[in-house]
Amino acid sequence: MTADDLLAPLDLAFWNLESAEHPMHLGALGVFTAQSPTAGAHAADLLAARAAAVPGLRMRIRDLWRPFDRSEPFDLRRSLSFGGATREPDPDFDPLHHVTLHAPAADFQAEAGRLMERPLERGRPPWEAHVLPDAEGGRFAVLFKFHHALADGLRALTLAAAVLDPMDLPAPRPRPAEPARGALPDVRRLPGLLRGAVSDVGRALDIGASVAVHTLGMRPTPALTASATGTRRTAGVVIDLDDVHRIRKVAGGTVNDVLIAVVAGALRRWLDERGDGSEGVVPRALIPVSKRRPRTAHPQGNRLSGYLMRLPVDDPDPLRRLATVRAAMDRNKDAGPGRGAGAVALLADHVPALGHRLGGPLVGHAARLWFDILVTSVPLPGFGLKLGGNPVTEVFPYAPLARGQALAVAVSTYRGQIHYGLVADAEAVPDLDRFARALTAEVETLITACGS
């Protein structure tokens, strides 16, 4: 075992945040056009066969309770990871345990919600693929579930692509080789490690102060908080990318600004329709920002920061809502992802492994005090995806739903279309389809307001 196998701090945090009653995995639902009535069954066979050849899908998470292993060369980083976890190959890996062919489904989203609320088995590689044929035989869907400890959004995409039909992807650049280590640490490196530790403490204090300043006086939005039931409901919305560009060219801002403003307008419409009312409602949205760790960093893995902003749900003017979102995003970008309340995720890098182990449950309960709704973007390739020759027509990403929160929104762009993937606590949001319809209606509202 080497330092490369250790979970990065953020991945370890996600591993310790969840419980059997409150899963924290991410997912994606791909909808395929079936070329034959047996396309779904053939797809399940292909996924199982190909998964066996993908090393990343064979990795399980093992808790690390020994500070070092006498059978291995001494590694100072690993010796400080007491209470952490590592990725290691599962000697009993069976892809058939991870790939399931289901009976024909009348509603892919309803089935996806039911499957998303089931936690992944922590003793096995934490991923699953569920193949859902439709009742008519003309389509099938595949729900991929991954734990963040195994793969973040970008890495999960890479692993999913490895079991789809081959694509022409650029070869990854080789990682610089780590020099061989002996039984004792190289004393020449100790001053640098100590300086790094002092710098880490200073950086953590700086981030913590910034988070505290930006979160003073913030209060949760009741309509978007909920008791943690662990139940899940999903929905999907497809929007034409050309419509988003039409709005952007008239009103200004980026595509992402428009997509966030659409969420704000949809929340207003949804709250008013269900009788909760939007007056005075300005929920705090967390917009994650990926900060990939340097290729020479140990451990490898994802670093995450984020922008925190107030969604102008209470503003009745759609163009003013977009202008408010644009201004808030510009301020966030000017400050950078290391500043503001959204930078709290960066603190994961400065917490010892044992701290994540002991503090994970407490942090999970505090999520509702920090933000009300997650709105995240998931990158997808621009070319067509296929499985067994069957083309993907839609891809709905699903974000993890934090404990005590009612709704999370993930967005992806695929072949000229925007796909909103919605995950909600099923008991808190029984009318998720109403919110889905509100997203579509808000796009039409913005188009009309732009005079397009």
Side-chain angles (χ1 to χ4, degrees), residues 59-363:
M59 305 301 284
R60 66 181 180 184
I61 310 300
R62 182 171 68 88
D63 293 331
L64 182 64
W65 288 111
R66 291 182 296 173
F68 59 87
D69 190 333
R70 293 183 180 179
S71 66
E72 298 175 356
F74 180 85
D75 187 327
L76 183 60
R77 282 182 296 261
R78 189 168 186 270
S79 69
L80 296 175
S81 296
F82 178 73
T86 64
R87 296 185 188 89
E88 65 175 19
D90 181 359
D92 301 317
F93 176 70
D94 180 1
L96 294 178
H97 186 83
H98 297 264
V99 179
T100 305
L101 175 64
H102 293 261
D107 185 335
F108 292 150
Q109 291 289 349
E111 287 298 307
R114 182 179 62 81
L115 294 168
M116 283 293 289
E117 71 182 44
R118 287 174 22 185
L120 295 165
E121 291 190 52
R122 291 171 71 91
R124 300 178 184 269
W127 69 274
E128 293 174 357
H130 297 272
V131 182
L132 309 168
D134 79 346
E136 305 297 327
R139 300 187 306 162
F140 67 90
V142 179
L143 173 66
F144 289 102
K145 294 167 54 180
F146 290 95
H147 198 286
H148 200 288
L150 178 70
D152 60 24
L154 191 57
R155 175 65 176 158
L157 172 64
T158 303
L159 291 175
V163 293
L164 297 178
D165 291 355
M167 297 178 293
D168 294 327
L169 296 175
R173 291 177 295 174
R175 183 185 302 167
E178 177 78 3
R181 292 187 289 270
L184 295 175
D186 186 342
V187 295
R188 293 171 297 180
R189 297 176 57 199
L190 292 178
L193 290 170
L194 292 174
R195 283 196 301 271
V198 172
S199 176
D200 277 353
V201 172
R203 179 65 174 148
L205 291 174
D206 185 43
I207 294 170
S210 179
V211 169
V213 167
H214 286 79
T215 53
L216 286 175
M218 287 191 170
R219 297 289 184 270
T221 299
L224 293 173
T225 59
S227 299
T229 68
T231 59
R232 293 292 180 269
R233 187 182 302 274
T234 65
V237 177
V238 180
I239 293 170
D240 196 315
L241 180 58
D242 287 342
D243 288 340
V244 175
H245 280 304
R246 195 176 309 148
I247 296 166
R248 179 187 61 80
K249 289 176 181 177
V250 173
T254 66
V255 167
N256 199 44
D257 293 341
V258 175
L259 297 178
I260 295 170
V262 167
V263 172
L267 284 171
R268 176 182 176 83
R269 188 183 302 265
W270 175 62
L271 291 172
D272 286 343
E273 288 181 355
R274 74 198 314 239
D276 290 335
S278 58
E279 183 177 355
V281 176
V282 282
R284 304 154 303 162
L286 177 65
I287 317 294
V289 177
S290 179
K291 294 170 60 65
R292 304 301 299 178
R293 299 174 70 84
R295 298 177 65 83
T296 55
H298 297 284
Q300 285 290 304
N302 193 39
R303 295 177 73 231
L304 191 68
S305 182
Y307 299 143
L308 196 69
M309 61 179 294
R310 289 283 191 178
L311 293 180
V313 171
D314 62 341
D315 193 329
D317 187 303
L319 293 182
R320 239 182 4 239
R321 287 196 295 268
L322 175 52
T324 300
V325 167
R326 178 184 178 185
M329 288 299 288
D330 286 345
R331 287 194 299 271
N332 275 314
K333 292 170 186 174
D334 289 342
R339 290 286 180 178
V344 70
L346 290 174
L347 291 173
D349 272 356
H350 306 283
V351 176
L354 190 59
H356 285 295
R357 177 77 62 179
L358 299 177
L362 296 177
V363 173

